[in-house]
Amino acid sequence: MRLLDELFRSKAVEKAISDETCLVRMLEVEAALANALASSELIPTAAARQIESCCNLNSIDAAALSAGAKRSGNIAIPLVNQLTRSVAAKNVEAAKFVHWGATSQDIIDTALVLQAREVLHLILDDLEQSCSALRRLTESHRNTLMPGRTWMQHALPITFGMKTAYMLSALHRQSRRLQDVLTSISVLQFGGAAGTLAALGDKGPAVAEEMAQRLGLSVPSTPWHSHRDRLAELAAALGVLAGSFGKIARDIALLSQTEIAEVSESQEDGRGTSSTMPQKSNPVFCAAILANSFRVPGLVSTVLAAMAQEHERGLGGWHAEWETIPEILSLAGGAAERAAELLAGLEVHPERMRANLEITHGLIFAEAVSMTLGRKIGKSAAHQLVARAVKESRSQRRNLSDVLHEHEEVSRHISAKELQDLFDPHKYLGSTHTFIDRVLAECAEPVGASHGAH
Amino acid sequence: MRLLDELFRSKAVEKAISDETCLVRMLEVEAALANALASSELIPTAAARQIESCCNLNSIDAAALSAGAKRSGNIAIPLVNQLTRSVAAKNVEAAKFVHWGATSQDIIDTALVLQAREVLHLILDDLEQSCSALRRLTESHRNTLMPGRTWMQHALPITFGMKTAYMLSALHRQSRRLQDVLTSISVLQFGGAAGTLAALGDKGPAVAEEMAQRLGLSVPSTPWHSHRDRLAELAAALGVLAGSFGKIARDIALLSQTEIAEVSESQEDGRGTSSTMPQKSNPVFCAAILANSFRVPGLVSTVLAAMAQEHERGLGGWHAEWETIPEILSLAGGAAERAAELLAGLEVHPERMRANLEITHGLIFAEAVSMTLGRKIGKSAAHQLVARAVKESRSQRRNLSDVLHEHEEVSRHISAKELQDLFDPHKYLGSTHTFIDRVLAECAEPVGASHGAH
Amino acid sequence: MRLLDELFRSKAVEKAISDETCLVRMLEVEAALANALASSELIPTAAARQIESCCNLNSIDAAALSAGAKRSGNIAIPLVNQLTRSVAAKNVEAAKFVHWGATSQDIIDTALVLQAREVLHLILDDLEQSCSALRRLTESHRNTLMPGRTWMQHALPITFGMKTAYMLSALHRQSRRLQDVLTSISVLQFGGAAGTLAALGDKGPAVAEEMAQRLGLSVPSTPWHSHRDRLAELAAALGVLAGSFGKIARDIALLSQTEIAEVSESQEDGRGTSSTMPQKSNPVFCAAILANSFRVPGLVSTVLAAMAQEHERGLGGWHAEWETIPEILSLAGGAAERAAELLAGLEVHPERMRANLEITHGLIFAEAVSMTLGRKIGKSAAHQLVARAVKESRSQRRNLSDVLHEHEEVSRHISAKELQDLFDPHKYLGSTHTFIDRVLAECAEPVGASHGAH
Amino acid sequence: MRLLDELFRSKAVEKAISDETCLVRMLEVEAALANALASSELIPTAAARQIESCCNLNSIDAAALSAGAKRSGNIAIPLVNQLTRSVAAKNVEAAKFVHWGATSQDIIDTALVLQAREVLHLILDDLEQSCSALRRLTESHRNTLMPGRTWMQHALPITFGMKTAYMLSALHRQSRRLQDVLTSISVLQFGGAAGTLAALGDKGPAVAEEMAQRLGLSVPSTPWHSHRDRLAELAAALGVLAGSFGKIARDIALLSQTEIAEVSESQEDGRGTSSTMPQKSNPVFCAAILANSFRVPGLVSTVLAAMAQEHERGLGGWHAEWETIPEILSLAGGAAERAAELLAGLEVHPERMRANLEITHGLIFAEAVSMTLGRKIGKSAAHQLVARAVKESRSQRRNLSDVLHEHEEVSRHISAKELQDLFDPHKYLGSTHTFIDRVLAECAEPVGASHGAH
């Protein structure tokens, strides 16, 4: 394991995309191919059985593969060579039929699909953990008042539950998107050397059907060796996902600032301590999630830029995907796991939220007054009047309600009681609760419920 | 119009995203808002009518808007100011209710959604043009033999119709993706200053419903001011689309090389001539499409990286989208139009394809022999035997079939007739026709058929 | 002018890269070429004079150029055609020699170099404005105490002048970098159709020398049609520059938050007002700078990815640069101008800085105590002891100094006076003033001083 | 080692940036710090010696570091903890002074600088290998005629030595750029918790000076914890470098196409064989270099986008660099090594170059005729006349010289002998040899000569 893996990554995801798992998946594809060929009577059933029995890591000398990859330009060729030798050691006849009719890319791409599928399931599970935490926070804090902030300035009162509901809604959409991508990428790659399956005569489709069934994949209408839109779609969807995590982490980091202190990361296990400053409590998981969300967009652009792959199978573009797509899966997966942990342990400080709401001495209610007054004297005139009062309030360090209370044109249109109400944040929440209810209703059930056993 | 617009862009798309259209869409949103407010009896119907009647470019001094945008940080604030003055000039009372309850971002985002929707329809139309051309090419050239190429080297025989069928299949998937995105982005943005619709009391949802209906949009469960996943999904989908166009243009450019010359761009209207070289016929549209496909990935990464928008409405990230998303629409739209023109006028040279197929004196059939022989002596042994024959064929400049014909172990397993057949490309196409048939069946109908009137 | 230009861009830069200026620069290159050819006696001097006299926008129908660019794949071909016709109208003989020996790319690249040079000078001027403002701020606020923040949490006391000195130092480095890039990109492009200057026999180098001298450029050792490293270096340097501006804008935006309020943007001319909230004062220029700094990295990646241009002159990669490099110049130039304005008008609130320093009741001095104590009992033990005191201070809402004062092990090692001193921020600034002095010394003179008249 | 490392990476570079080396470098920095503190009499010399003696991997439990990094948000904190325990086991007193006055980022950044420096030296060495191979190719093939190609079409004759000279010139510029970057990044990071070196009183600068000297670095005017321009410059320079390698690999891949076959990669050790096609000889190293050059631009954009780091030390942006900058070093280093190997073994086929030059039956000389004729009848008229002859030549499949020979207006202006000369490629090379000579002169000496022992 690399030094920063626990910080940035998820162990389960790393396992799913490790070199070792990659080889296992490639061998699974070779086994499925052998069995499918036997089903179509293209190779002897005994040969298929023999091949399948060798399709495991015992047959493989991983160290030698890397040198082979430098020679051949991919990992499948040396793997097939080793597998063939391993089968031959048991049964020379069976060894004739290893990798029959396939091309390296069939194996590599299908193995990648299998890995991506597993990672998507893991991410969906972590997303559901985040959603679950956000549901709890939304329910607990639907009435917890805090300043809404726009342009990083106080705007209007909101509730913390509304903030988390909007996050929940975004992650729920992400779950749906990933479900769609899961379907669209779960396709077999099988085309032979040039996408014609020439070596199988007219039995190509039957073999493909059988292989796909064995691997739990669907059969696309054609091979897609140099049409990479499905993988690009996967990368792009994970880019969008990472962006949503980045938004959440950014907000939590901002709310955790010393002067604001409305939430804080769990400090369990000494999380967030500094090497030199005893008072520090750094938002470590926010940093990790933000880092990952910074890193994915550039990788997505790489996958998109690599799509212009030449002719029937490309040069360089395909190779650029090999480590990039797993890296996207890894960083998105790490962000998903870190986010689930962050949200599960998030500490909320309603009293600080309330205190911050009042830090401007009523200025956050300026719009409420302006709108009410606007109904009487017009939006524009009201806006200007209140803006002047805001200035006065600031320079005199008095509460805006007091300043307005003394203002003749205000009292002409707004009674003292009315004015007092305008400075009651609970009365200026508009549709907050409607929005919260909608989100809770639509996100009651995990999207992931349908993604089933895996 | 900018100097390079005709080369890189589509006039219709440029119109849809022009500054002028942007203002028109924003004014449409203001009109829909006024009418919806009147429906909910929040403002007088007469005021709404007056506002609506001013919601056109006659009310607007575009030159003054830019200075206003520098002051306010967005274009909606000066626009609303001008609109208010324009309404006030007709009816002071009505002017009170301009932009009532909305925030700038409600207007800007919804206008962007309307523009994106129009561009997606235009792109879907151009995609259908490309698909239509590809269907024709596939039908005409399903039997036109040519070399399949992998790693930019001859691999196996394919047909040109197979190549175009795979392109068709990819563009068909892209159409489906854009249809999905069209649905997911066609949502209203309406949340007021901090996403609570506070200024509308409990009538926010009703107003939103009415606005959305008037604009032909759906109502999302919550405002999405700082949750930009839908727009990021749009950008990402266009990135994937541009990648598919890049792949097609790359292939055509490669096939157009002087030594290969299997296809050429239409030279209608003197397209592709050089300033100094009379013999030149440059693949101009390929260059334009490739250029656009190079440019979109970086822009997509910008949109993804800008997703971490602060709190209820962000600072900088939102601003980074304003020109970037239209630029993505523009470049993708330009690529779509140029691709439709390129494919419609593509000249195919079957005789060159056939000549190139034979340029290696039979080496392209090496796999065919190897597989057949492999059934007898094992894949690995056959591979090695044929590889040796390939070397001989190269050094002696003789046809591979002649070399093999003389080879004892070959003749032991393969008859002269059989060997001859192995060098017949029509007999080594495997599932080519099945794949073509599948694509033609699945792409018989334009996906766009359902995207209807717009 | 586009609607958002005043917000995001600089008028002077926009002028330098406008379509119109681009044409003017291309015509200047054609004129320099004609004169240089005449100097080498390759064309008649009278012809060169006639060509030069037509090298102005009067000869050009810009509207027709765009259609020509779609046909030819670049703007130089139709421009040369128009210029030739225009010369021919005056002197048929002279018209024979328009664009003699050059290729389109010679003209387009050299014109781009001229434009980039002008923009770099403009940016250097704006950088010097920023540096000047930062020097003033540094001098004024070298003793203005404020909380230093790491991980967005209070760390140790610093001074605002130190913060601005570090910014100054960074911008000073950027100036030096741009000066270097200015030198490295100020090279002529002149190679003819394939980089051999074949059409000029053996006089190519002499013509190049003369052209370069007329244009104020240097002559590179070879043409560089498809080796784009100098332009990529330009793009990359502007990417690094934009990043520094983004850092500055990010810090100012964070310091402007309602709860922190240590600085604020100038509100001159009503900058930063909201459409609905009268109390708002949005950091508009921070938003614009951040937006530009978000947008440049993706564009830089486009230029880098486009470097793999084919053979002697490429297809697609070159085309991808045409609008991307000017866009990078534009966004970097806009950020530079906005930053100069932002820093010149920045309002600093020392009393808020001081208040925030004390907001944690002494926790910000935890390191000071820990280090002093560490000298006695070891860093690790001291760290733990102080960390416990921090906890106590927090839970009891007492000043850390009071808590520590009562602590036996502390008083054993640190006297009351010493302890008091440890909570004096002026005494815990370390090398702050040394660092400030160094920066002021090294940045006393504008780097730009040497970039001279332009 | 990972499976694809031998294909994409360089062993020496991987070692220099490995987790293990990273820890070694961090420990070197801690040792240098301890010794420097002792020199300034801030800690006892004996303590420094004890600390230094523990600064090696024996003190470290790498497995535990990863869990610590998840807790602390970086690797330095758990490393310092382990080091402290290890020192304490030997000498409790000395353990008090481990990491005295420094912050985690001081250690991490300085270690990164040391790693980057080593990798730059390795890359410069590989660059020199490439330059050396290109010098040889240029000298051997300065007269080897081949088609120059623009827009992927034949343009004019060039020589292969000119092509390699232009590559050489580009790589030579890259070496100079890397030398500059080597200087600018070789700076110490040392600022303590908030960039003030507060914990060292007034001795910060002296300690920094001593540390820097011990590590062979220079002392910057200020700490640069959140001003990342130097690292961004490093990343950007490697991006530009990778682009040049991509250009070279792209050209070689294009020249290796089956129909063109002008060069081929060495097939030593069975490089480039296929899993199914015995005739294949894939340009494997081109693919690897192109893949790396595709991957770097997105990573550069990540580093640029991460520059907006908050306040005195940032959150997320810094973290995003940790794996990204080493990955850029790794991919650029891999491309450099692969390019050196590719160029050293490149096989050139002059007879194919010559054959391809003639494949168009003289069309490649169209410009030569057009320019000569242009001197008589004007460039534009000549261009049109020759363009017509080109068409005739194509449709009649006759050599262009024969077609022109029969043309009256041609023979009026050009004698038969002259016409024959125009179709002699050696006579239409213009300044080719001058350009080659310049490059050979300027690149005679390795830039790397000065980068000295390391």
Side-chain angles (χ1 to χ4, degrees), chain A residues 2-3 6 9 19 66 70-71 99 102 104 253 269 271-272 275-276 284 294-295 315-317 323 341, chain D residues 1-3 6 9 19 66 70-71 99 102 104 253 269 271-272 275-276 284 294-295 315-317 323 341:
Chain A
R2 290 161 304 173
L3 286 174
E6 290 204 33
R9 322 260 174 173
D19 274 0
S66 190
K70 182 174 177 184
R71 231 173 7 248
H99 192 62
S104 316
D269 304 322
R271 198 200 304 167
S275 66
T276 62
V284 168
F294 283 148
R295 292 173 63 185
L315 182 93
E323 297 182 331
E341 293 165 352
Chain D
M1 199 183 48
R2 291 162 303 174
L3 286 175
E6 290 204 32
R9 322 259 175 172
D19 274 359
S66 189
K70 181 174 178 184
R71 234 177 0 253
H99 190 64
S104 317
D269 304 323
R271 199 199 304 166
S275 67
T276 63
V284 168
F294 283 149
R295 292 173 64 185
L315 182 93
E323 296 182 330
E341 294 164 352

Side-chain angles (χ1 to χ4, degrees), chain C residues 252-439:
Chain C
I252 293 177
L254 286 166
L255 294 176
S256 301
Q257 292 171 100
T258 305
E259 285 86 356
I260 296 184
E262 297 181 2
V263 303
S264 44
E265 279 200 24
S266 164
Q267 292 174 257
E268 220 183 336
D269 304 322
R271 199 199 305 166
T273 52
S274 148
S275 67
T276 62
M277 292 169 286
Q279 89 281 13
K280 272 310 225 36
S281 156
N282 293 325
V284 168
F285 285 10
C286 286
I289 296 166
L290 279 168
N292 286 14
S293 79
F294 283 149
R295 292 172 64 185
V296 173
L299 298 170
V300 172
S301 74
T302 300
V303 174
L304 295 177
M307 285 179 73
Q309 297 183 12
E310 295 87 359
H311 294 312
E312 280 54 69
R313 292 195 288 114
L315 182 94
W318 178 40
H319 302 75
E321 293 172 2
W322 293 347
E323 298 182 330
T324 306
I325 291 177
E327 182 74 347
I328 293 173
L329 289 164
S330 169
L331 293 172
E337 192 182 88
R338 220 52 69 249
E341 294 165 353
L342 170 68
L343 292 168
L346 192 71
E347 292 169 14
V348 183
H349 311 302
E351 74 293 353
R352 292 285 315 154
M353 292 175 176
R354 185 73 203 214
N356 287 335
L357 193 60
E358 296 180 358
I359 212 173
T360 58
H361 307 293
L363 297 193
I364 201 168
F365 303 103
E367 191 204 56
V369 182
S370 174
M371 293 304 288
T372 305
L373 204 55
R375 252 167 244 128
K376 313 293 166 60
I377 65 172
K379 213 175 119 287
S380 180
H383 190 95
Q384 281 162 33
L385 184 156
V386 178
R388 278 194 307 274
V390 163
K391 258 195 192 158
E392 238 175 285
S393 160
R394 273 198 186 115
S395 66
Q396 303 171 3
R397 295 166 190 271
R398 298 169 62 205
N399 197 296
L400 179 64
S401 68
D402 297 339
V403 173
L404 287 165
H405 185 68
E406 290 168 8
H407 201 294
E408 207 176 340
E409 196 165 357
V410 174
S411 36
R412 198 177 323 140
H413 296 290
I414 302 181
S415 74
K417 173 66 177 67
E418 246 183 316
L419 191 63
Q420 200 182 335
D421 279 3
L422 288 175
F423 283 78
D424 177 352
H426 279 297
K427 295 193 173 141
Y428 203 63
L429 290 174
S431 305
T432 296
H433 289 289
T434 305
F435 293 147
I436 291 174
D437 289 338
R438 280 188 195 165
V439 173

Side-chain angles (χ1 to χ4, degrees), chain B residues 49 225 373:
Chain B
R49 294 226 172 107
H225 291 139
L373 205 55

